[in-house]
Amino acid sequence: MKSSIRRTLSATAVAGGTAALMMAGLAGASAHVSADPNKTAANSYALVTFGIPHGCDTFGTTKVTISLPEELNDAQPTVNPNWDVEKVTETLAEPKKLDDGTSITKRTSQIVYTAKAPLDPHLRDALVLSVKLPDAAGKTIYFPTLQTCEQGQTDWSEMAKEGQDPHDLKAPAPSVTITPADAAGDHHAATTESTEQAAAVTDDGSQARSWAGLIAGIAGLGLGGAAFFRSRSAKPALAKVDTNAKADTK
C-alpha cells in the first residue's frame, strides 16, 4: 500500500515538474518582442504584427522603436488607439535605384510608437506595419526593436550567427524569413484608392443585379397571383352558362 502511494506521489511530482517547465518555456517565449507576418512570399505586401510583451520587470512600456532593415524603404504603420506613431527618415549616403527605374535619396528608418499611457507590465499589445517584402527568397530580415519603459529599457536587437540557435539569444531581434514568390504573384494595387474604387464598382454591380432579381421575383409573384384569381373567378361563370344551356334544352 505504501509502495503504491509512493509511486503515485512520484508520478504526480514528475507531471507537476514537467508542467512547470512547459509553463516556464511559454512564459519565456511570450516575453520576447515577436514579428508575425501574414505573408512571407518574396516581393509581396505583408502585414507584420509586432507582439509587445510585459515591460522591464515591473515597469510599464512607454515607447517602442522599430528599426526597419535596410532592404525596406518604407513601412505604413497601422493606427493603434493606445499609441501615438511617427516615422523617422534618414538620408541615404548615395541615391538608391528602385525596380521601376526611379531613385530615392531618403528612406524610412524607424517607426516609433509612444504609449498614451504606460502599457501595464501584465498586459500585451500588438503593433502592425504594412511592408513590401524584398525579392530575396531564403533571406531573413531583422527588425531591431527598442522597448523603453517607465524605468529601464530592453534592446531586442540580437541576431543569431551562423550555426547559432536563435532560442539561445537573450534579447533576439524580431525577424521575418522570406519564402519563394507566389506563382500567381502579388497583384497589390499601387494605391489603396484604386483598390477601393474597384471594390466599389464590383459591389454596386452585384447590388444592382440583386435588386433586379428581387424586383423580377416580386413581379412574377404578382402575375402568378393575378392569374390564379382570374381562374378562380372564371369557374363559377362557366358553371352558370352550362346550367342555362341545360334549361334551354329541356
Side-chain angles (χ1 to χ4, degrees):
M1 181 65 176
K2 291 182 179 180
S3 177
S4 176
I5 293 175
R6 281 197 299 271
R7 285 197 300 270
T8 301
L9 292 175
S10 177
T12 302
V14 171
T18 302
L21 290 174
M22 290 177 64
M23 291 301 292
L26 290 173
S30 64
H32 295 168
V33 171
S34 59
D36 182 21
N38 68 335
K39 291 182 181 180
T40 57
N43 207 34
S44 67
Y45 287 81
L47 294 176
V48 183
T49 300
F50 292 83
I52 308 304
H54 61 72
C56 314
D57 295 327
T58 59
F59 299 101
T61 301
T62 57
K63 182 183 293 186
V64 175
T65 303
I66 303 172
S67 295
L68 302 184
E70 62 180 9
E71 292 84 357
L72 302 184
N73 300 319
D74 192 19
Q76 189 70 24
T78 301
V79 173
N80 184 314
N82 301 319
W83 306 75
D84 292 322
V85 60
E86 64 175 328
K87 291 183 178 183
V88 176
T89 60
E90 67 175 0
T91 300
L92 301 176
E94 57 184 34
K96 180 178 180 180
K97 191 172 183 179
L98 304 180
D99 295 336
D100 60 4
T102 60
S103 297
I104 58 174
T105 58
K106 294 182 179 182
R107 67 178 285 268
T108 301
S109 60
Q110 293 180 329
I111 303 295
V112 181
Y113 281 90
T114 303
K116 295 180 180 179
L119 176 63
D120 190 307
H122 299 97
L123 302 177
R124 291 173 59 85
D125 207 340
L127 307 176
V128 183
L129 300 183
S130 174
V131 302
K132 183 180 181 182
L133 299 177
D135 189 6
K139 184 178 181 62
T140 298
I141 57 176
Y142 295 89
F143 297 79
T145 301
L146 180 63
Q147 182 180 11
T148 304
C149 304
E150 294 172 295
Q151 290 188 29
Q153 60 184 18
T154 301
D155 188 8
W156 305 97
S157 60
E158 295 181 348
M159 303 178 193
K161 298 178 182 179
E162 187 176 355
Q164 184 179 15
D165 187 349
H167 296 91
D168 293 337
L169 301 177
K170 184 178 180 181
S175 63
V176 174
T177 299
I178 311 300
T179 57
D182 296 333
D186 188 348
H187 304 292
H188 182 87
T191 63
T192 305
E193 181 179 359
S194 61
T195 303
E196 291 176 347
Q197 288 176 347
V201 171
T202 302
D203 290 343
D204 289 345
S206 61
Q207 289 179 359
R209 288 192 294 271
S210 299
W211 278 108
L214 180 60
I215 293 172
I218 293 174
L221 289 174
L223 292 174
F228 173 77
F229 284 112
R230 281 199 301 272
S231 64
R232 290 291 301 272
S233 61
K235 287 181 180 180
L238 290 174
K240 184 176 181 180
V241 171
D242 292 340
T243 302
N244 293 338
K246 289 182 181 181
D248 292 339
T249 303
K250 291 181 180 179

